[in-house]
Amino acid sequence: METFTDPKQLVENPQYQKQRRKTLAGLRDGMIDAPILGVVNGFNTLPYCFTLQCCCGHFLHNDVKESNNLESLPVTNTISVVEYSIAYIAFCVENSDMGRRFLDALKDITALDPETIQFGSAEWFWKRQVNSYVLQVEPTVWKYEDTATLDYGEALRTEKVRDELFVHLQGLLKKQLTV
């Protein structure tokens, strides 16, 4: 996120429910990268959060140039540099007990790999929607950018962390649904 910042404090938002309904009414499955569709739709069933935007992360290299590529990186010795488009999920969170617990759970996810997973806010999301937060996967040195040029080994590691993040988010979703 080019405007990534430390997480802001939750503020009162009397328009939360109206904003949630409006945002979700405009959301279509075709707008979401297929590998994370289930996770995104699942979080949108929770009353204390909704997604604003997301990307499963894309890896482009000498064999793949399509910007919306969903393929995993191949195991090869012919790729030296990979252009990575950041994987992230942005949420709007209700200022409520459940919303605060959810935020704490999102923050805890960074412990999976603190060098590659960041939790925070993004200025441009916050200007459009208060109480917005981003969980992103990007090597720390690139955390303020939407794309990064990675060597092949670092790209493989980033892909692994990205996949772990979305598996962990699926587990978090299951826990939230049983609360």
Side-chain angles (χ1 to χ4, degrees), residues 73 113 115-116 152-162:
L73 286 167
D113 190 320
E115 296 301 314
T116 313
Y152 178 69
E154 187 174 33
L156 284 172
R157 183 180 181 288
T158 301
E159 181 181 53
K160 180 179 180 279
V161 173
R162 178 210 56 188

Side-chain angles (χ1 to χ4, degrees), residues 1-14:
M1 289 283 121
E2 291 183 358
T3 59
F4 183 80
T5 66
D6 289 334
K8 296 179 179 281
Q9 293 295 314
L10 278 168
V11 298
E12 289 304 315
N13 181 10

Side-chain angles (χ1 to χ4, degrees), residues 163-175:
D163 294 348
E164 289 171 357
L165 169 77
F166 286 115
V167 166
H168 196 80
L169 281 171
Q170 184 68 46
L172 174 61
L173 174 59
K174 286 179 185 176
K175 287 180 188 173

Side-chain angles (χ1 to χ4, degrees), residues 3 10 14 63 68 71 137 147-148 153 173:
T3 59
L10 278 168
D63 295 332
N68 290 327
E71 296 176 28
V137 177
T147 61
L173 174 59

Side-chain angles (χ1 to χ4, degrees), residues 112-127:
L112 291 171
D113 190 320
E115 296 301 314
T116 313
I117 301 173
Q118 298 90 35
F119 173 78
S121 294
E123 287 296 329
W124 77 278
F125 278 129
W126 196 275
K127 286 177 184 174

Side-chain angles (χ1 to χ4, degrees), residues 25-63:
L27 184 63
R28 302 287 176 266
D29 286 355
M31 303 164 84
I32 304 166
D33 289 333
I36 59 174
L37 179 62
V39 171
V40 171
N41 284 338
F43 280 115
N44 287 332
T45 67
L46 302 175
Y48 47 86
C49 73
F50 61 92
T51 59
L52 296 168
Q53 200 170 2
C54 60
C55 180
C56 73
H58 305 281
F59 297 89
L60 308 178
H61 50 85
N62 53 336
D63 295 332

